[in-house]
Amino acid sequence: MTAELVRGQNHPLPQTRLEVRIAAGKPVVAGATLGDDQGRVRSADWVAHPAAPQMPGLEVSRQAAADHRLAVDLGAMPEAVHTVTVLLALPTGVGGPVRFGGLAAPFVAVTDLDGDEIATFTITDLDAESAVTALELYRRNGAWKVRAVGQGYAGGLAAMLHDQGLPEAATLAAEINDAVARGMARSLAPPARTNGGDGRVRTATAGGDPTQGASASGPVAGAAPASIGAPDPGGADASAAPAGGPVNYRHPGRQSAAPTPPPAAPQPGPQGQPPRPVAGDAPGWTTEERLYNQVWGMFEDLARSTAAYRSAVDFADSRMEKELDAVLSDPRTRVGPLADAARTEARDKHTRLVEQARAVLDRDLAQLVAEAEVVEPALPPAYARWSSPVWQAYEVPMEMPMALRLGDLHLPERTDLRIPMIVRLPLERGLWVDSGRGGSSDAAIVDPTEMRRLAMESAVAHAARLIAVYPVGEFTVHVIDPAGAGASALTPLTSTGVLPEAPAVGAQGVAAVLAKLTQRVDLVQMAVRSGAVDALPRDLDTAQQLLIVNDFPHGFDDRAVNQLRYLADEGPSVGVHLMMVADREDARAYGPALDPLWRALLRVTPVADDHLADPWVGHAWTFEPSLAPQGSEVLTRVLSQVTRARESYGGHDIAD
């Protein structure tokens, strides 16, 4: 029976392997501190947080999220540890809530490994606090208990850590906040569910029922893979899902209760085989919406299935290590035949566990590969690769699409399984096409000059897609190229006449374009706030605006830099978007003053790079941009068609 705790109340814990589940409604930071017999945190090494999420017996989330799972193994805690305190904090400097009083009351549950609740606590009566001590797991007379705390701190994370006796509280709090801000900057925002539930009954997880999906046994949003909290297979074979078995391709959890147009029914497979997947098998009123939801569902399924596999491997590794340590610590089995037999048994058990987990993952991956093979050819132009046949039949659209493809994402467990990276339109964040060499192996073999060229070509491909998927007269592109270094890469835009004016060069050109766009942002913001949109100047271009900036910070003075930051922060809300093509190292003279600019933009790369994170479990995903095939004229052909449509409709002035 679940104990519903109130502040100060405690409850015995029947076991030492637990999960702490947190639901906060908005992204929060979840962590934990270890305390000695006086309740004091001895050092920063006794704090588990997004920048250092793992320690013996404890694993926390690697990023801020609305929901968390913390894995706890009290039996693995060092002898000096007498308390484990679960803490929550609001991220700072990322534009989110600044006080818990503005959120729904956070809910915290201590569960067993099957998800059955042992004790719950709803943290009420919070106001100006930005950090809160949620629960305390403590050891008393050899037994562990949980206590509901709910102590808030208006001084934030630093005040809370200081109250627990940590000498370097302010320094660690700053490190945690910086790690969270960096994590949120590289994390893709999950889509808002337009229809139906969260739709996560799909793929099997390592150690789970093969007919259930990641929602049943995989990590929740933002959770770290719970390696120390993975189910103990005991007899090993009993806990692993079989590698075969039917797979439900209908995604029942994605189906909507609303009367949406039904997707096509799955086609029966060969005798004894599961049904074949179909494109559009997700909730939504239109085919485009169903495909959008299906792609994001595939993205989430791959993230969660991989998390389950990695969690199972981590558990197998830690179990083998523990068993080998036990062999070495016992003088009777340290050497000799008994020692050899024990080591062999531990390694064999490890191999079996990993193989079972891999078999389940391979089955899940095969399902996703089969789905990708039918979904990719069905994608509309906004979602399709440039090599797709849909571009051969391209026509200028009459309506803006829901979203836009920027490239592909994949994980090392199956590099040929590519998930389209689709972002909502209008763009909610600007783009930073990184022309630096970064840390990827692909970037390391490209010289700096070539990397800059590739970055500009990638930016042009993104801009061309944006131009192509918007209706006539609803999207305008401006280019700042101070030294003219991007002239060759810009040819598809300049030669087809889709730019309203030639790329701006020199300091004067930079100043003129930035002044024009910042004035537009100011005017639209004032009109919206005052409810006087009709009073906007008649010659104001009301289309969505995209500014491509090449070779930053060349040609930019301090005023221009501040205007650029202003556009990055305020522009998206009024239809002005920024696409920076830049190497951060070139702007290092500005120091931390430009950190908010880089964080405001979504970083993408011109070559494969594993810098993006999913919003559920925080895997590092390898991104590859969507580029036109080598030697293809698809960009020029599509943009020329846009120009002809503009001339025909008279919806836009065309540059000479």
Side-chain angles (χ1 to χ4, degrees):
M1 185 175 181
T2 303
E4 297 181 2
L5 305 181
V6 297
R7 275 186 175 85
Q9 188 176 3
N10 60 41
H11 186 75
L13 294 172
Q15 58 198 75
T16 57
R17 283 186 174 176
L18 307 163
E19 283 187 348
V20 178
R21 303 187 179 190
I22 299 161
K26 295 287 186 179
V28 300
V29 181
T33 60
L34 306 183
D36 57 20
D37 56 351
Q38 302 298 315
R40 185 173 60 89
V41 180
R42 294 183 177 179
S43 72
D45 293 338
W46 277 32
V47 183
H49 54 84
Q54 291 179 305
M55 60 176 60
L58 185 62
E59 186 169 1
V60 304
S61 303
R62 291 166 169 80
Q63 61 189 47
D67 301 284
H68 294 268
R69 278 187 188 176
L70 280 59
V72 182
D73 186 353
L74 298 172
M77 292 291 168
E79 286 297 322
V81 173
H82 288 257
T83 63
V84 179
T85 303
V86 177
L87 57 90
L88 305 178
L90 295 174
T92 61
V94 295
V98 296
R99 48 192 288 273
F100 273 105
L103 305 180
F107 175 79
V108 186
V110 179
T111 75
D112 60 21
L113 297 182
D114 294 325
D116 296 327
E117 293 179 346
I118 299 170
T120 64
F121 175 39
T122 301
I123 311 174
T124 57
D125 300 324
L126 296 176
D127 187 13
E129 298 90 344
S130 58
V132 60
T133 300
L135 294 175
E136 182 183 69
L137 311 177
Y138 64 98
R139 179 158 41 193
R140 185 67 52 83
N141 298 324
W144 286 91
K145 295 184 178 182
V146 57
R147 177 185 292 119
V149 182
Q151 174 65 52
Y153 294 84
L157 197 54
M160 179 167 56
L161 294 173
H162 181 269
D163 193 47
Q164 296 185 30
L166 182 65
E168 60 269 37
T171 301
L172 181 59
E175 179 185 339
I176 294 172
N177 287 328
D178 183 63
V180 171
R182 283 186 280 108
M184 294 184 74
R186 73 187 188 94
S187 178
L188 301 176
R193 297 293 176 185
T194 55
N195 270 307
D198 61 2
R200 293 276 49 84
V201 181
R202 266 229 322 127
T203 56
T205 58
D209 182 342
T211 65
Q212 299 299 311
S215 62
S217 54
V220 297
S227 58
I228 60 174
D232 184 348
D237 295 337
S239 72
V247 178
N248 184 357
Y249 282 111
R250 283 302 302 274
H251 321 306
R254 293 190 199 167
Q255 301 308 308
S256 171
T260 59
Q267 299 299 311
Q271 188 173 4
Q273 297 296 317
R276 291 190 295 269
V278 295
D281 190 7
W285 290 99
T286 65
T287 299
E288 180 193 8
E289 186 179 1
R290 292 197 296 271
L291 287 168
Y292 171 83
N293 287 331
Q294 186 171 18
V295 167
W296 269 92
M298 293 165 61
F299 184 20
E300 183 174 356
D301 286 346
L302 181 54
R304 294 190 185 281
S305 289
T306 304
Y309 166 71
R310 292 179 181 178
S311 175
V313 172
D314 286 345
F315 171 76
D317 291 344
S318 62
R319 176 170 177 163
M320 181 178 69
E321 188 175 324
K322 191 172 184 179
E323 291 175 350
L324 293 176
D325 287 345
V327 171
L328 292 174
S329 63
D330 188 343
R332 296 170 299 176
T333 60
R334 190 172 299 163
V335 295
L338 287 177
D340 293 340
R343 292 189 186 96
T344 300
E345 182 181 359
R347 294 187 180 110
D348 288 346
K349 189 180 297 182
H350 174 272
T351 300
R352 289 197 302 273
L353 292 175
V354 172
E355 288 178 348
Q356 290 161 2
R358 185 70 209 197
V360 174
L361 176 66
D362 286 343
R363 194 206 52 193
D364 288 351
L365 295 180
Q367 171 187 345
L368 287 167
V369 168
E371 186 172 11
E373 289 175 349
V374 298
V375 168
E376 187 68 50
L379 296 177
Y383 302 175
R385 295 188 176 109
W386 282 112
S387 58
S388 170
V390 298
W391 289 106
Q392 304 301 320
Y394 168 77
E395 294 182 359
V396 178
M398 300 299 292
E399 294 181 351
M400 181 187 76
M402 286 182 58
L404 182 92
R405 185 179 194 150
L406 294 178
D408 293 339
L409 298 167
H410 68 266
L411 291 172
E413 281 77 6
R414 183 75 186 258
T415 57
D416 64 326
L417 175 53
R418 306 299 175 94
I419 304 295
M421 178 179 160
I422 296 177
V423 296
R424 285 299 296 263
L425 291 179
L427 294 173
E428 297 172 351
R429 296 170 66 182
L431 300 177
W432 165 28
V433 183
D434 191 354
S435 60
R437 299 180 69 183
S440 73
S441 58
D442 288 49
I445 61 175
V446 181
D447 70 70
T449 302
E450 177 67 6
M451 183 62 75
R452 293 176 191 276
R453 184 187 67 80
L454 292 174
M456 197 58 191
E457 288 183 354
S458 178
V460 169
H462 296 318
R465 184 183 293 267
L466 281 162
I467 293 169
V469 302
Y470 270 84
V472 168
E474 293 190 16
F475 199 83
T476 303
V477 176
H478 309 270
V479 179
I480 289 178
D481 187 21
S488 177
L490 287 166
T491 299
L493 301 180
T494 55
S495 66
T496 56
V498 293
L499 298 180
E501 53 195 17
V505 296
Q508 289 185 340
V510 170
V513 173
L514 290 177
K516 178 180 178 180
L517 290 177
T518 52
Q519 182 186 42
R520 183 191 185 280
V521 171
D522 290 339
L523 287 173
V524 175
Q525 282 187 336
M526 287 189 293
V528 170
R529 290 168 183 167
S530 62
V533 177
D534 292 341
L536 285 169
R538 296 178 62 86
D539 61 347
L540 183 76
D541 184 359
T542 58
Q544 296 280 313
Q545 310 285 310
L546 174 69
L547 172 60
I548 302 175
V549 177
N550 185 38
D551 211 15
F552 177 81
H554 182 83
F556 283 74
D557 56 19
D558 289 345
R559 175 181 172 81
V561 170
N562 287 332
Q563 288 175 316
L564 206 61
R565 289 182 53 182
Y566 177 71
L567 291 177
D569 291 337
E570 303 295 333
S573 64
V574 291
V576 177
H577 311 284
L578 187 61
M579 185 185 296
M580 296 274 291
V581 183
D583 180 356
R584 190 169 183 171
E585 281 299 302
D586 292 342
R588 63 184 179 275
Y590 288 94
L594 285 183
D595 285 352
L597 172 64
W598 305 120
R599 289 177 180 171
L601 305 174
L602 177 63
R603 176 177 174 247
V604 293
T605 52
V607 296
D609 189 276
D610 60 348
H611 66 283
L612 289 174
D614 64 80
W616 303 287
V617 294
H619 294 316
W621 292 75
T622 296
F623 168 82
E624 291 188 37
S626 180
L627 303 174
Q630 190 72 24
S632 171
E633 296 294 327
V634 62
L635 294 188
T636 301
R637 184 172 61 252
V638 167
L639 294 177
S640 296
Q641 193 165 340
V642 170
T643 298
R644 289 193 296 271
R646 289 177 177 178
E647 293 170 342
S648 174
Y649 285 101
H652 210 287
D653 292 333
I654 307 301
D656 293 334

